[in-house]
Amino acid sequence: MELRYKPNFRKKLNSRLAVGAVAIASTLVFSCSKVNDQVPFSKLTPKEAFSTPDRIEKSAIGMYDALQNLEFLGGRVLIYSDIRGNDVNVASYFGNVPTFNMLSSNIYAFNAWSGGYRTIFESNYFSGNLKDNESVVTPAVAAGYYAEAKFIRALTYFFLVNTYAQTYTFDAAAAQPGVPLVLTAARDGAEALDPKNKIPRASVKAVYDQMIKDLTEAAAVLPVETGDDYNDRARATKGAAHALLARIYLYQGNWQKAKDYADSVLLSPRGYELAATPADVWSAGNYQSSMERIFSVAMSSGDNPNTNNALGQHYGSAGRGDITISQSYLKLPNFDRFTDLRAKPLFTYSINKTTGDTTAFYTKKFFGNSTVDAWVPILRLAEVILIKAEALARLNTATADPDAITLLNQIRTRAKAKVLAPATQAALIDNILTERRIELAFEGHGEFDFLRTHRSIPARENVDAQPWNGDYVIFPLPQSEVERNPNMSQNPKY
């Protein structure tokens, strides 16, 4: 197999290359004043940026640079799902986001929307310019680049549609409003402001269909591995596409396909395997070597050099320490925080110097080498194992599926937790959902898991319980976008 990924990808990514559309401040649905006066490149024209194979490679790396957007998959969009779940306490830094009383003018909703669509713009812009210059590289190399762009676009849409729209099974036909599907990029500001680009929201089904299409096409082309440890975890691969498809089908309630794609990962010749201990997954020294990490957004202190966005700053006691672990999480069934390896080795706490009492618990998943360089976890093998376990459990309505129980206990045994033996399908599903909370906490699954399984989010502190299908469990669309685009509908009650 032709290896099209270069070993020095890590150096190029962290240099934040300014090619292509890096100067654009808008997408087809996100614009600012005088955008028609701006030119969508800063150092090289598109023709120059795509004039040699090496420059095209650097432009491709720019898509991953966009994926690091500090307001979106640099970590923030994962935080939003978690602080609206029940495993962390209300984080005052994020204003009304964790208390479910946001306004349509909310700055976090605005920034996440623009960050997500900026990332999509970059992938579309790259694909459009590559199309104009395909002859510069071989057809196989071009196909690989298109596949990477589709993976990035699908991944970004997954978080956009689940943040700004009701979960897939909210409506039997998934016909509820989703988010705008933008599949091409404007070449300049004037084109971006063309009325034809004021597009309406696509249905949630249409967004999911597009994600599945993008990932299926990408998986057919992406390599199993690239020959470089860094790229195998920080750049799109076949395993990453299959793992994201497994998650998407789980959200749809398509249990068979969720199982099938989970199997594609578990049986991959890549040889994914769980780390020896839960803590090993989160050691910065293992970011490039852990066979449990399928895909992460690679970060460095140069990518995120401030205290307001990095996961380690918000989650870590050594940083801002805005997000603390809730008692609800600490008291989950089947979770002994004194013996389970997902507790003590991965927790830290602050001590009241007067009384000696433990006053707050923090996760240590995002310490990295500092508080700002932790890789953002997107897909890892433990999640894929639990996806298959849940799919099997739901497919077998007659009893507690024995294979699902084995998979559940595979995760628990790694953590030195007691083996479980649920006797009914309902008990098994409950065990698996609890295990997902224990294992995947603080990785962006919090609120999403409640909503996709039609479970109301319990009350906490001064926050009322939220029904899974309530109006306020999703973000408002930025009001400025609704006002600029007459075809854009706002979410109810905003």
Side-chain angles (χ1 to χ4, degrees):
M1 177 176 291
E2 180 178 8
L3 297 180
R4 52 188 171 71
Y5 298 160
K6 295 181 170 36
N8 59 346
F9 166 63
R10 51 176 112 12
K11 296 179 182 176
K12 293 178 180 177
L13 177 58
N14 294 334
S15 67
R16 288 190 171 274
L17 294 168
V19 295
V22 179
I24 279 283
S26 66
T27 67
L28 301 187
V29 294
F30 176 76
S31 59
C32 64
S33 62
K34 298 186 179 179
V35 70
N36 55 310
D37 297 331
Q38 299 180 21
V39 181
F41 47 84
S42 57
K43 289 187 177 179
L44 298 173
T45 66
K47 185 175 180 61
E48 292 169 333
F50 287 77
S51 62
T52 70
D54 184 62
R55 285 183 172 180
I56 291 176
E57 166 71 5
K58 291 176 180 178
S59 296
I61 291 167
M63 293 189 292
Y64 292 91
D65 189 65
L67 198 63
Q68 296 170 332
N69 188 289
L70 302 186
E71 300 295 340
F72 205 69
L73 277 171
R76 275 288 177 86
V77 75
L78 278 69
I79 287 175
Y80 298 148
S81 177
D82 284 336
I83 62 176
R84 289 158 73 89
N86 209 38
D87 298 332
V88 301
N89 295 311
V90 172
S92 60
Y93 177 87
F94 295 98
N96 295 337
V97 176
T99 55
F100 300 96
N101 56 352
M102 298 168 71
L103 300 176
S104 59
S105 58
N106 186 278
I107 188 63
Y108 295 105
F110 177 87
N111 288 343
W113 178 273
S114 59
Y117 275 103
R118 174 61 180 268
T119 303
I120 288 169
F121 176 86
E122 294 284 358
S123 64
N124 289 340
Y125 191 83
F126 172 85
S127 294
N129 280 289
L130 179 60
K131 185 70 175 176
D132 294 340
N133 299 277
E134 271 189 10
S135 61
V136 176
V137 295
T138 67
V141 169
Y145 286 140
Y146 287 130
E148 289 186 271
K150 289 175 181 178
F151 174 83
I152 290 170
R153 184 169 69 188
L155 175 63
T156 306
Y157 266 121
F158 173 82
F159 284 97
L160 279 170
V161 75
N162 281 288
T163 300
Y164 291 92
Q166 295 286 359
T167 194
Y168 187 90
T169 53
F170 172 87
D171 176 83
Q176 67 272 24
V179 293
L181 272 175
V182 183
L183 305 180
T184 58
R187 298 305 181 94
D188 54 42
E191 185 180 343
L193 293 177
D194 190 298
K196 71 180 181 182
N197 288 324
K198 295 185 182 295
I199 60 177
R201 299 169 68 176
S203 69
V204 167
K205 182 180 186 305
V207 177
Y208 270 71
D209 287 348
Q210 185 63 49
M211 290 190 293
I212 291 170
K213 180 176 185 293
D214 278 348
L215 291 169
T216 303
E217 292 173 354
V221 176
L222 289 169
V224 172
E225 56 189 357
T226 70
D228 181 81
D229 287 342
Y230 187 99
N231 295 337
D232 284 337
R233 294 159 181 83
R235 214 159 165 176
T237 62
K238 192 180 298 291
H242 285 163
L244 186 53
L245 278 166
R247 182 192 292 179
I248 286 170
Y249 281 120
L250 189 79
Y251 275 56
Q252 285 189 326
N254 189 331
W255 315 124
Q256 186 60 52
K257 286 203 170 184
K259 173 198 169 295
D260 291 344
Y261 277 102
D263 275 335
S264 295
V265 178
L266 296 172
L267 299 175
S268 169
R270 170 78 177 132
Y272 297 110
E273 62 181 4
L274 293 178
T277 72
D280 287 343
V281 183
W282 306 103
S283 167
N286 293 337
Y287 287 169
Q288 298 180 44
S289 60
S290 172
M291 292 302 293
E292 183 168 341
R293 283 182 174 264
I294 299 172
F295 181 79
S296 302
V297 178
M299 304 294 287
S300 74
S301 57
D303 298 316
N304 198 0
N306 62 65
T307 61
N308 293 329
N309 296 80
L311 289 173
Q313 278 286 324
H314 289 298
Y315 281 105
S317 59
R320 296 183 57 93
D322 299 303
I323 305 175
T324 56
I325 300 172
S326 70
Q327 287 296 312
S328 174
Y329 178 78
L330 295 173
K331 296 177 180 178
L332 282 172
N334 306 318
F335 183 37
D336 186 336
R337 66 183 177 90
F338 297 102
T339 60
D340 194 307
L341 294 184
R342 292 167 295 189
K344 198 170 183 179
L346 281 175
F347 288 174
T348 187
Y349 51 85
S350 59
I351 299 293
N352 185 309
K353 294 181 180 180
T354 301
T355 66
D357 292 337
T358 300
T359 58
F361 286 85
Y362 297 88
T363 180
K364 292 196 290 189
K365 284 186 173 181
F366 307 115
F367 275 21
N369 290 314
S370 71
T371 58
V372 296
D373 65 356
W375 286 21
V376 180
I378 303 297
L379 299 161
R380 62 185 178 96
L381 189 64
E383 180 195 355
V384 175
I385 290 172
L386 290 172
I387 286 174
K388 181 177 179 181
E390 182 177 346
L392 287 172
R394 294 187 184 276
L395 285 167
N396 189 345
T397 59
T399 186
D401 187 89
D403 291 334
I405 295 173
T406 297
L407 291 166
L408 167 65
N409 283 317
Q410 183 180 356
I411 299 297
R412 292 186 60 78
T413 300
R414 192 262 296 263
K416 307 299 183 186
K418 68 178 181 180
V419 171
L420 300 179
T424 65
Q425 182 200 32
L428 174 57
I429 291 173
D430 184 64
N431 285 168
I432 292 170
L433 295 181
T434 300
E435 198 67 22
R436 283 181 62 91
R437 286 184 64 182
I438 298 170
E439 177 69 29
L440 305 177
F442 327 120
E443 299 176 49
H445 299 273
E447 182 190 37
F448 291 174
D449 257 7
F450 276 103
L451 304 187
R452 74 168 180 87
T453 55
H454 296 191
R455 293 175 294 161
S456 295
I457 302 171
R460 55 182 175 143
E461 300 178 50
N462 296 319
V463 182
D464 293 336
Q466 300 294 315
W468 70 269
N469 55 357
D471 292 319
Y472 300 119
V473 296
I474 55 176
F475 274 28
L477 274 62
Q479 188 58 32
S480 56
E481 288 301 298
V482 176
E483 292 172 352
R484 271 195 287 263
N485 183 354
N487 299 314
M488 186 89 73
S489 60
Q490 181 58 273
N491 282 325
K493 303 292 179 68
Y494 286 112

